[in-house]
């Protein structure tokens, strides 16, 4: 399982958002596995984060999206 929390360690987010980001990332993994998401993972991740008023640095979104894709491909 991907370590989403490790990626959150130095992304500029506050601690109270870590659990929400982990949940969003895990939901995205499941949606990709079930074929409910097509297209760019980073864009979808950023859309979901913004829907919950969570803003991360672009490099943090990319790193997390890479982990999501890796986890979904297992």
């Amino acid at each position: 399982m991907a370590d989403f929390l490790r990626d959150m360690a130095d992304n500029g987010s506050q601690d109270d958002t870590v659990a929400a980001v982990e949940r969003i990332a895990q939901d995205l993994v499941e949606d990709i596995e079930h074929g409910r998401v097509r297209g760019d993972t980073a864009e979808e991740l950023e859309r979901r984060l913004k829907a919950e008023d969570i803003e991360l640095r672009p490099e943090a979104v990319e790193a997390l999206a890479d982990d999501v894709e890796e986890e979904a491909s297992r």
Side-chain angles (χ1 to χ4, degrees):
M1 175 145 233
D3 189 358
F4 300 126
L5 293 178
R6 176 183 47 101
D7 287 334
M8 296 299 300
D10 187 30
N11 68 5
S13 69
Q14 296 180 8
D15 290 337
D16 58 345
T17 64
V18 172
V21 171
E22 184 175 29
R23 177 185 43 78
I24 291 166
Q26 192 58 51
D27 288 347
L28 184 53
V29 167
E30 292 173 16
D31 287 346
I32 292 170
E33 290 174 339
H34 291 96
R36 294 186 290 251
V37 174
R38 304 222 188 276
D40 186 67
T41 302
E43 289 178 10
E44 178 63 20
L45 177 60
E46 188 168 26
R47 184 189 66 75
R48 291 178 184 210
L49 291 169
K50 284 184 179 182
E52 298 216 16
D53 294 324
I54 299 171
E55 194 168 322
L56 302 178
R57 295 182 299 206
E59 58 271 17
V61 172
E62 287 293 329
L64 191 54
D66 288 345
D67 283 350
V68 165
E69 289 173 345
E70 182 179 329
E71 182 69 20
S73 69
R74 292 184 182 175

